[in-house]
Amino acid sequence: MIRCNDVFKSFSEKTVLSGISFNIGDGEIFGLLGPSGAGKTTLIRILTGQLSFDKGYVTVFDKEVSSLLGEDKKNIGIMMDQFGVYERLSCIDNLKVFADIYKAPYDRIKSTLEEVGLKDAQNLPAVKLSKGMRARLALARVFMHSPKLIFLDEPTSGLDPQTMRQIHKIILEKKKEGCTVFLTTHNMEEAYKLCDRVALLNEGVIVENDTPERICRKYNHQKTIKLHLSSGEDVVIPHESNSSEMIGRLLSDGSIETIHSSEPTLETVFLELTGRMLEEDE
Amino acid sequence: MRNSLIIIKKQVKDTLKNKTVLIQFILFPIMALIMENAIRIDSMPELFFTKLFSIMYIGMAPLTSVASIISEEKEKNTLRVLSMANVKPWQYLFGVGFYVWIICMIGAGVMAAVIKKEDIPFYLLVMAVGFAVSILAGACIGIFAGNQMTATSIVMPVMLVFAFSPMLAMFNENIEKVARFAYTQQLKVFMDGMSFSGIKTDNILILAVNAMLMAVLFFIAFRKKGLE
Ligand SMILES: Nc1ncnc2c1ncn2[C@@H]1O[C@H](COP(=O)(O)OP(=O)(O)O)[C@@H](O)[C@H]1O
Ligand SMILES: [Mg+2]
């Protein structure tokens, strides 16, 4: 679906992307995880043909991205980090503009608003919507013309947990319908939960690209087991053969409440790889 | 072309909900009609208020509305969304420009109600040309500004010069000498003559230079800033 090979991009001296390569298969949810300023938005703009790049090549639908035609673009849906809604127009009128542009039938408007849970707000002007509702309106605009390939730039950034879950559900629904989704995020839980594959982007370089599980396992250096005892105490012991005797003893005592293996999260992997936290400030 | 029509359709809906732009379009035609009918002073030239407000209308309404529409779309990122939906810059600009031109022509049509029938085509032609130049100027500002605040602060002085200099020129010869280089002043001269025979080469020349200047500025603004 998407091939990105050795892409470089700099803005007047400042190199933002250096040597980005990856492939995205059909029907995959691909997550680009990185802290703010890593170059995520820049990469989305390149992949969607909004921005030229200095070196390398990018193909979408097996075509050079700069040569995509109007027809190809109809199969792409994009939501950037700024939602870009017409504030005085109602949700329906906002979508009508794009239904007209994409020649999508008007009955898609109502069904899409229902899909994103904005049916009750459909006649409200966008200026009256909360941030989460605006995000969902922007999502509705992305989905309305039934694109096969969807780009979402930090779709849940700054939203409340409930809206976030709602949006995750919608994204997974789109995958079931056969869409390929490219999303960026700086939220590692989101990446872990949603994505089939995750690329960790730091300062314009992809430092890791694999399934979330495999990435976490790969960096599981200091394997430990965490025991929660019925006394309320937490005990962390090394994950090795000579711990088995201790666990066996505690188990037969009946003093173990729960056992956890502590694998690293994407967050700790990121920290290990780059020395920086995902959500830390610039 | 289809996309331009979609932009026009959207703009109609938006204007009906946008009081500040709506007032721009309606205020001058209504004022002209009222003043022309209500105030009669013997020594006053014929159609004094209609001509005065027509020129102000040219200098204000298209300029401010186009600048505000474009700069708002830039500021709110809707323009970027349109371009991602494969709407080309010229389709967008043509849609907005043509829309504002039509609305202003309707306003001119209202003001024409008090003009002699045989003069109406000439009057509308002068208005049509004036609106076109103002729309170009408004588009320059809208593209260059990038947000509404900046747009308003640039529009203000430009608008004051073009809309009010013809009026001030009536009362002061020195101002007239400078104001004649503004397209609005030339249009005022056309309107006072109200016939093709009254138009001289230098009138046309100044108007053409104004129009070209706006066009050049427009392309510079577009090349430098684009619609991003
Ligand atoms: N148009 C631009 N001109 C100059 N620098 C830019 C431009 N766009 C982005 N950058 C720079 O590129 C870097 C990456 O930005 P961005 O892709 O927006 O990061 P992210 O989306 O991961 O937060 C930032 O340092 C930013 O300042
Ligand atoms: Mg970003």
Side-chain angles (χ1 to χ4, degrees):
Chain A
M1 188 60 82
I2 299 179
R3 277 170 195 284
C4 185
N5 189 27
D6 205 23
V7 167
F8 283 77
K9 172 74 192 175
S10 37
F11 292 109
S12 54
E13 302 296 292
K14 186 174 184 236
T15 304
V16 175
L17 298 175
S18 33
I20 301 289
S21 302
F22 58 85
N23 295 328
I24 302 177
D26 290 7
E28 207 172 32
I29 299 184
F30 183 90
L32 186 67
L33 185 64
S36 145
K40 303 184 293 296
T41 302
T42 305
L43 185 54
I44 283 209
R45 292 183 66 205
I46 287 175
L47 297 178
T48 52
Q50 300 175 62
L51 194 68
S52 60
F53 46 97
D54 308 332
K55 198 173 151 248
Y57 73 80
V58 175
T59 62
V60 174
F61 301 131
D62 288 328
K63 280 184 197 162
E64 176 69 30
V65 70
S66 55
S67 68
L68 286 183
L69 306 171
E71 285 307 308
D72 300 313
K73 290 195 177 166
K74 279 201 185 127
N75 284 319
I76 300 178
I78 310 166
M79 174 170 136
M80 298 307 285
D81 46 0
Q82 304 282 335
F83 301 140
V85 295
Y86 289 108
E87 298 195 334
R88 286 177 293 272
L89 299 185
S90 67
C91 295
I92 290 193
D93 284 341
N94 258 287
L95 293 187
K96 260 188 192 161
V97 175
F98 294 89
D100 284 340
I101 293 173
Y102 287 117
K103 297 185 184 151
Y106 278 179
D107 48 4
R108 275 293 293 159
I109 294 176
K110 289 216 166 149
S111 62
T112 313
L113 281 172
E114 208 167 328
E115 233 177 292
V116 299
L118 281 181
K119 191 155 172 286
D120 296 333
Q122 61 181 19
N123 292 315
L124 280 183
V127 71
K128 296 236 170 83
L129 301 180
S130 69
K131 189 168 183 223
M133 289 162 103
R134 279 179 195 224
R136 283 181 281 146
L137 178 57
L139 269 184
R141 185 179 60 214
V142 172
F143 299 148
M144 192 180 47
H145 59 290
S146 317
K148 294 190 179 65
L149 174 59
I150 295 169
F151 291 93
L152 305 173
D153 193 4
E154 305 206 16
T156 59
S157 170
L159 300 182
D160 59 280
Q162 194 198 342
T163 309
M164 209 153 158
R165 275 194 298 277
Q166 244 171 338
I167 289 178
H168 290 167
K169 219 176 117 202
I170 299 167
I171 294 174
L172 289 171
E173 198 58 43
K174 289 294 143 186
K175 177 186 156 75
K176 265 192 215 145
E177 290 170 21
C179 296
T180 306
V181 181
F182 180 103
L183 66 85
T184 70
T185 176
H186 59 246
N187 179 328
M188 50 86 195
E189 262 178 77
E190 173 169 276
Y192 198 94
K193 192 176 137 197
L194 279 182
C195 301
D196 300 311
R197 221 141 44 80
V198 176
L200 305 184
L201 182 70
N202 186 48
E203 287 170 0
V205 183
I206 290 186
V207 288
E208 191 57 67
N209 173 0
D210 210 330
T211 67
E213 293 81 8
R214 258 194 298 227
I215 292 180
C216 289
R217 241 180 292 135
K218 187 164 152 193
Y219 290 89
N220 194 2
H221 304 310
Q222 16 155 346
K223 298 183 179 173
T224 53
I225 294 172
K226 195 167 136 190
L227 308 177
H228 185 73
L229 306 181
S230 35
S231 60
E233 205 183 336
D234 280 330
V235 183
V236 178
I237 54 175
H239 185 162
E240 43 187 56
S241 52
N242 49 9
S243 298
S244 62
E245 186 206 340
M246 178 179 176
I247 296 175
R249 186 159 44 77
L250 289 168
L251 262 178
S252 51
D253 284 358
S255 53
I256 294 182
E257 203 128 281
T258 52
I259 303 180
H260 303 272
S261 73
S262 61
E263 284 164 28
T265 62
L266 285 176
E267 178 85 43
T268 53
V269 172
F270 200 90
L271 182 65
E272 179 177 337
L273 280 170
T274 66
R276 48 198 291 222
M277 298 292 282
L278 280 166
E279 308 217 16
E280 85 185 356
D281 293 325
E282 290 282 280
Chain B
M1 197 57 215
R2 213 181 66 88
N3 282 345
S4 298
L5 286 175
I6 294 168
I7 298 297
I8 292 172
K9 188 171 144 192
K10 176 209 74 155
Q11 220 51 63
V12 172
K13 283 185 199 165
D14 191 68
T15 304
L16 293 175
K17 292 177 175 135
N18 189 348
K19 290 185 199 72
T20 41
V21 169
L22 199 58
I23 278 182
Q24 284 283 335
F25 289 139
I26 297 175
L27 188 68
F28 287 97
I30 301 289
M31 289 260 286
L33 275 189
I34 293 175
M35 302 280 266
E36 198 65 66
N37 283 301
I39 302 175
R40 284 260 151 266
I41 303 167
D42 287 342
S43 61
M44 213 160 56
E46 198 192 356
L47 294 173
F48 177 80
F49 287 112
T50 303
K51 287 173 182 170
L52 187 65
F53 281 119
S54 294
I55 296 300
M56 284 195 193
Y57 195 43
I58 289 175
M60 288 176 92
L63 200 80
T64 47
S65 55
V66 169
S68 117
I69 290 169
I70 294 177
S71 60
E72 184 181 13
E73 293 230 38
K74 279 188 144 191
E75 182 179 337
K76 301 280 158 69
N77 278 293
T78 46
L79 207 44
R80 185 186 276 191
V81 175
L82 285 175
S83 102
M84 289 188 303
N86 215 18
V87 174
K88 299 279 177 273
W90 68 266
Q91 294 172 329
Y92 172 79
L93 291 169
F94 182 78
V96 169
F98 191 65
Y99 162 76
V100 169
W101 189 81
I102 291 285
I103 300 283
C104 288
M105 285 308 283
I106 294 172
V110 171
M111 291 195 275
V114 293
I115 294 175
K116 282 203 292 291
K117 239 198 206 99
E118 60 267 32
D119 288 341
I120 288 179
F122 183 83
Y123 168 80
L124 288 181
L125 182 70
V126 172
M127 295 299 276
V129 171
F131 293 146
V133 179
S134 287
I135 286 169
L136 266 181
C140 287
I141 297 170
I143 291 170
F144 190 79
N147 68 62
Q148 281 183 291
M149 274 267 280
T150 318
T152 315
S153 63
I154 305 177
V155 158
M156 268 310 196
V158 175
M159 181 189 80
L160 287 177
V161 167
F162 287 125
F164 289 98
S165 61
M167 185 176 74
L168 297 175
M170 287 193 296
F171 305 115
N172 183 318
E173 272 183 36
N174 288 327
I175 293 182
E176 205 270 341
K177 277 179 198 143
V178 186
R180 67 190 297 268
F181 294 108
Y183 66 104
T184 42
Q185 173 63 14
Q186 291 307 319
L187 296 171
K188 176 80 167 49
V189 171
F190 294 172
M191 222 174 263
D192 285 336
M194 212 44 117
S195 82
F196 288 104
S197 53
I199 298 176
K200 296 195 205 73
T201 334
D202 62 333
N203 299 135
I204 293 289
L205 206 68
I206 293 174
L207 185 62
V209 168
N210 267 267
M212 294 232 293
L213 197 69
M214 299 300 177
V216 168
L217 284 177
F218 173 79
F219 282 111
I220 291 174
F222 189 75
R223 284 288 298 273
K224 273 197 94 157
K225 297 268 179 159
L227 288 187
E228 274 289 305

